[in-house]
Amino acid sequence: VGETPIPPYLRRPAEPADRVRYQTLFAKNRGAVAAPTAGLHFTPSLLHDITEQGAEVHTLTLHTGLGSFKPVEVEDLGKHRMTSEYYEISRDTADAVNRALVSSESSVTLCGTTVVRATESSLTAERRLKAGRGWTDKFVRPPYDFQIAERLLTNFHRPRSTLLMMIA
């Protein structure tokens, strides 16, 4: 029902080709109402090359919402309200991330701000990634002490957006 969600900065209606153009190779479950654009540039060939160089690639389920693109319209950032987004983190993914967090030879690189919000919302008391599912309305902005993300691959972000504030 509806039309393919495309980034609002395109300022045009969705086209039939957008059904392919704005779908990541990670997509498996219905539920997102916006494309997780940071993952759009990954191809099977690129993922193969990354894993051939020794990196592990793990996934989680994200139902990106339109609220991610809502501009901040308040001066006091404590008054901005994020909309909730659903996520699921498998035991396999949580275990792999936690191994990397304690390893001196590995690190954690996350792809996309929505992944950051999900993982930073699913922490154990020991500040490790917890497997499970839930909803997050976390607004990550300076100053913030990241617990999971050591690096972030992301995309373009609009001025006054919560996504740009996270990157800051």
Side-chain angles (χ1 to χ4, degrees), residues 5-10 21-26 32 34-42 62 64 68-69 111-115 153-158 163:
I6 59 173
Y9 52 79
L10 293 180
R21 222 181 262 142
Y22 287 97
Q23 186 63 273
T24 72
L25 64 98
F26 303 108
T37 56
L40 287 173
H41 62 283
F42 284 98
L62 301 169
T64 306
S68 286
F69 304 107
C111 181
T113 55
T114 305
V115 173
L153 297 174
T154 190
N155 210 325
F156 297 109
H157 299 296
R158 297 179 69 121
L163 309 175

Side-chain angles (χ1 to χ4, degrees), residues 35-53:
T37 56
L40 287 173
H41 62 283
F42 284 98
T43 63
S45 175
L46 180 58
L47 283 184
H48 176 273
D49 291 348
I50 290 169
T51 58
E52 283 293 308
Q53 293 181 31

Side-chain angles (χ1 to χ4, degrees), residues 55-59 89-103 106-110 128-131 148 150:
E56 293 182 34
V57 176
H58 295 273
T59 61
I89 301 169
S90 71
R91 168 62 45 211
D92 180 54
T93 294
D95 288 347
V97 167
N98 292 331
R99 280 192 308 273
L101 287 171
V102 298
S103 169
S106 299
S107 62
V108 177
T109 302
L110 300 181
R128 296 294 178 244
L129 186 59
K130 177 175 57 177
I148 303 297
E150 295 177 307

Side-chain angles (χ1 to χ4, degrees), residues 3 12 14 16 27 37 45-46 62-63 74-76 79-80 85 99-100 116 128 131-132 137 153 167:
E3 61 184 39
R12 64 168 175 79
T37 56
S45 175
L46 180 58
L62 301 169
H63 291 318
V74 295
E75 289 298 319
D76 178 356
K79 293 182 179 179
H80 179 78
E85 296 178 312
R99 280 192 308 273
V116 172
R128 296 294 178 244
D137 61 357
L153 297 174
I167 302 311

